[in-house]
Amino acid sequence: MNDNLYELFRSRFPADPSRPFIETETGRVWSYGDLQDVSGHYARLLASLGVAKGDRVAVQVEKSPEAIFLYLACLRAGAVYLPLNTAYTRAEVEYFLGDAEPRVAVCRPDQETGFAELAARTGVAHVLSLGQDGEGSLPDRARDLDPDFATVPADADDLAAILYTSGTTGRSKGAMMSHRNLGSNALTLHRIWGWRPDDVLLHALPIFHTHGLFVATNCVLLNGTGMLFLPKFDLDRVFGLLDRASVMMGVPTFYTRLLTDPRLTPGACARMRLFISGSAPLLAETHRAFRERTGHAILERYGMTETGMNTSNPLDGERVPGTVGFPLPDVELRVVDEKTGAPLGPEEVGIIEVKGPNVFSGYWRMPEKTRQEFRDDGFFITGDVGKVDARGYVHIVGRAKDLVISGGFNVYPKEVETVVDAVEGVAESAVVGVPHPDFGEAVVAVVLAKPGAAGPTAEAVVAACKEQLANYKVPKSVVFVDELPRNAMGKVQKNLLRERYAGTFGG
Ligand code: AMP
């Protein structure tokens, strides 16, 4: 039996190879037949360059159908696909190449020279290029090769991909994902989200991250249907395609941006059956506003690079705003005391740990770090702080590293943010801890006002907090900003805020 993930996908491809797989914004369509041919060409080229089972192929390219074919070609060749965020600088890429030691690196055509230098320094044997419009030395060299390529057999535990963690805190680590990790999670999500034979996905996410690459694309591949593929999220383009799509997956900023547009109406969403959100917390208010405007309750789910998806609100049943739903059927989830590791009961806040076939195989070449993040009984310590409520819904309160300890008391930023967000005129807030001479750390609320609203005042924010929160949780400083710094997945970069406001109380 071949447990290669590509074989799982292939078993679900439509019988008719002319069925569409990807349609781009120009209206160009790539069929399932094209998928098999182009990924076959690429797999053959990789093999001819000596890429053998377990070899890494590092890829920093723009989003394109060919980039998806390259991912599939890597699976077919038994290689380990290693996508890199297009925003990474040369110095960052050098670290990844040195750390992962790929046999082949694929870059954007205009960066081939720079990559060749990096490759020479880091011992990468081959550099190829691939552009947004499918141009470059990879397609050029692959085009005339035989597309028939027998998928390299893989065991379920063999590596399929390495994804470097997004690094909102600390140095990026390479999360090793096996064929089993990716396949099991995709099958579970495909089932619980009730994919239908006529579903069409609107894909506007980046494809170097677990969300756009694995959650979105793998579900489509298992469904054997098509996706409308946008290079990035753009309101005009999304509204141009919404009436042809039935499923959309997005980060919370997609939804807040949709809400700013008068074109968001029930009519515009008439064909849609499911809006899914994840990768960062969706404000309960966004959930409610979206429902009011469109009639759709956004389905929020929670996962991370290392685990794929862990929880989801139900397809049938109440999708509770501000929660990430129930553990997936094959995922065990528990909340434990941060210090003792003892399991906690319902409503008690602690560290979330998970176990299941979705959980990664460890950090690339970091056995010590891997050991530290797993319990003896196999649970992975996510580092997310949360609770399970009396009805079994999981709530994420923040990251353990975001925890503020002020005067010896623990402050969970999410709790303060929820109060601040409810103040009249506040669009969103981010609460961080910064050094304070008396308290060790002090709570700072960074506030984004609603556009056009009469600005909320620091006094109003503090007053609301004083009314609802213990004194040590009340922000000692409230600052207003025009924008919160976010990474590519829409996550607020609290490390940047901590740096920016580090001097607020004189260090
Ligand atoms: P990444 O590895 O980049 O996917 O980031 C994973 C982290 O994003 C998780 O550990 C959570 O802290 C956060 N995250 C993902 N989904 C959600 C969600 N629905 N609500 C709150 N936080 C989330």
Side-chain angles (χ1 to χ4, degrees):
M1 163 128 181
N2 187 352
D3 286 320
N4 191 306
L5 179 62
Y6 183 79
E7 290 302 292
L8 171 64
F9 294 146
R10 200 163 67 97
S11 70
R12 309 287 202 103
F13 288 168
D16 174 3
S18 72
R19 301 288 303 155
F21 169 49
I22 293 182
E23 180 179 327
T24 56
E25 54 178 341
T26 60
R28 184 157 172 209
V29 176
W30 279 259
S31 67
Y32 274 86
D34 296 330
L35 175 171
Q36 295 182 71
D37 284 352
V38 181
S39 67
H41 288 146
Y42 291 2
R44 194 162 286 279
L45 175 63
L46 293 175
S48 77
L49 297 175
V51 171
K53 195 161 149 176
D55 283 344
R56 277 77 58 211
V57 175
V59 179
Q60 190 190 34
V61 300
E62 297 299 336
K63 182 175 176 180
S64 69
E66 288 79 4
I68 295 287
F69 301 147
L70 178 56
Y71 154 55
L72 296 171
C74 288
L75 294 177
R76 294 181 76 172
V80 181
Y81 185 63
L82 197 167
L84 294 171
N85 189 327
T86 41
Y88 285 143
T89 61
R90 241 177 103 106
E92 287 167 315
V93 172
E94 181 161 1
Y95 163 73
F96 294 121
L97 296 184
D99 190 52
E101 298 189 293
R103 179 156 186 89
V104 174
V106 185
C107 64
R108 291 163 276 196
D110 61 350
Q111 299 193 345
E112 222 164 340
T113 314
F115 254 71
E117 283 167 29
L118 289 182
R121 278 214 292 277
T122 52
V124 178
H126 303 280
V127 172
L128 295 167
S129 64
L130 176 64
Q132 190 155 26
D133 298 317
E135 75 283 14
S137 60
L138 164 72
D140 285 348
R141 291 177 63 180
R143 195 166 292 123
D144 296 326
L145 302 177
D146 182 355
D148 271 336
F149 184 89
T151 303
V152 170
D155 292 333
D157 290 327
D158 286 337
L159 293 192
I162 294 177
L163 254 57
Y164 279 85
T165 53
S166 64
T168 40
T169 49
R171 176 136 240 181
S172 261
K173 304 179 285 280
M176 300 190 289
M177 309 306 295
S178 68
H179 291 264
R180 185 203 315 279
N181 295 150
L182 301 180
S184 67
N185 209 227
L187 284 168
T188 299
L189 298 176
H190 183 262
R191 195 176 71 247
I192 65 159
W193 291 340
W195 280 76
R196 297 178 186 167
D198 58 350
D199 268 333
V200 175
L201 177 85
L202 181 53
H203 193 306
L205 290 159
I207 54 169
F208 49 72
H209 184 271
T210 188
H211 194 169
L213 182 62
F214 298 142
V215 185
T217 307
N218 289 356
C219 275
V220 169
L221 286 161
L222 283 184
N223 206 46
T225 56
M227 52 182 166
L228 304 168
F229 215 56
L230 292 178
K232 60 181 177 34
F233 185 86
D234 172 282
L235 281 172
D236 288 337
R237 288 165 171 157
V238 168
F239 280 110
L241 292 173
L242 208 51
D243 63 346
R244 295 182 47 214
S246 58
V247 181
M248 189 178 95
M249 297 188 192
V251 293
T253 40
F254 285 17
Y255 295 103
T256 50
R257 286 167 64 190
L258 283 169
L259 277 164
T260 62
D261 198 298
R263 286 172 290 183
L264 185 72
T265 59
C269 308
R271 240 217 98 185
M272 288 295 304
R273 77 170 178 89
L274 192 56
F275 287 98
I276 300 173
S277 177
S279 292
L282 181 78
L283 296 177
E285 192 194 318
T286 308
H287 189 285
R288 290 195 194 100
F290 200 85
R291 188 168 200 169
E292 256 165 48
R293 278 276 283 284
T294 66
H296 283 275
I298 300 170
L299 182 152
E300 185 171 8
R301 93 295 177 283
Y302 151 71
M304 62 198 301
T305 302
E306 289 92 332
T307 63
M309 300 304 103
N310 294 313
T311 74
S312 172
N313 269 281
L315 181 68
D316 303 311
E318 196 186 345
R319 299 176 197 161
V320 178
T323 82
V324 295
F326 305 114
L328 300 183
D330 50 358
V331 175
E332 287 177 73
L333 182 147
R334 68 187 181 197
V335 177
V336 305
D337 181 272
E338 199 178 343
K339 292 188 191 82
T340 64
L344 298 175
E347 303 288 355
E348 291 182 304
V349 173
I351 300 284
I352 294 178
E353 300 185 345
V354 295
K355 185 177 177 180
N358 56 317
V359 175
F360 74 136
S361 318
Y363 292 113
W364 173 255
R365 292 189 179 158
M366 288 185 176
E368 196 45 46
K369 186 84 200 152
T370 303
R371 260 193 300 280
Q372 284 167 10
E373 312 238 339
F374 280 89
R375 300 277 179 202
D376 291 343
D377 58 359
F379 274 81
F380 171 60
I381 306 165
T382 64
D384 285 314
V385 178
K387 67 172 187 182
V388 180
D389 69 20
R391 297 165 67 195
Y393 286 85
V394 178
H395 300 236
I396 310 285
V397 176
R399 294 282 304 161
K401 293 183 192 104
D402 289 340
L403 182 74
V404 184
I405 306 184
S406 192
F409 294 110
N410 287 3
V411 182
Y412 293 110
K414 177 78 185 293
E415 193 185 359
V416 184
E417 288 160 6
T418 306
V419 173
V420 177
D421 290 350
V423 173
E424 181 78 30
V426 172
E428 193 176 350
S429 63
V431 164
V432 293
V434 301
H436 188 283
D438 284 343
F439 299 105
E441 278 186 312
V443 174
V444 172
V446 186
V447 178
L448 182 72
K450 276 193 181 135
T457 60
E459 291 72 34
V461 168
V462 169
C465 291
K466 279 202 169 139
E467 196 184 306
Q468 295 175 61
L469 299 170
N471 217 14
Y472 64 89
K473 299 179 188 170
V474 175
K476 296 206 167 40
S477 166
V478 178
V479 286
F480 291 93
V481 292
D482 295 332
E483 210 179 344
L484 290 167
R486 293 178 194 278
N487 73 7
M489 299 311 293
K491 280 190 233 300
V492 175
Q493 292 169 299
K494 291 202 167 172
N495 50 339
L496 295 185
L497 293 177
R498 276 190 288 267
E499 277 167 29
R500 197 184 291 169
Y501 300 108
T504 307
F505 302 99

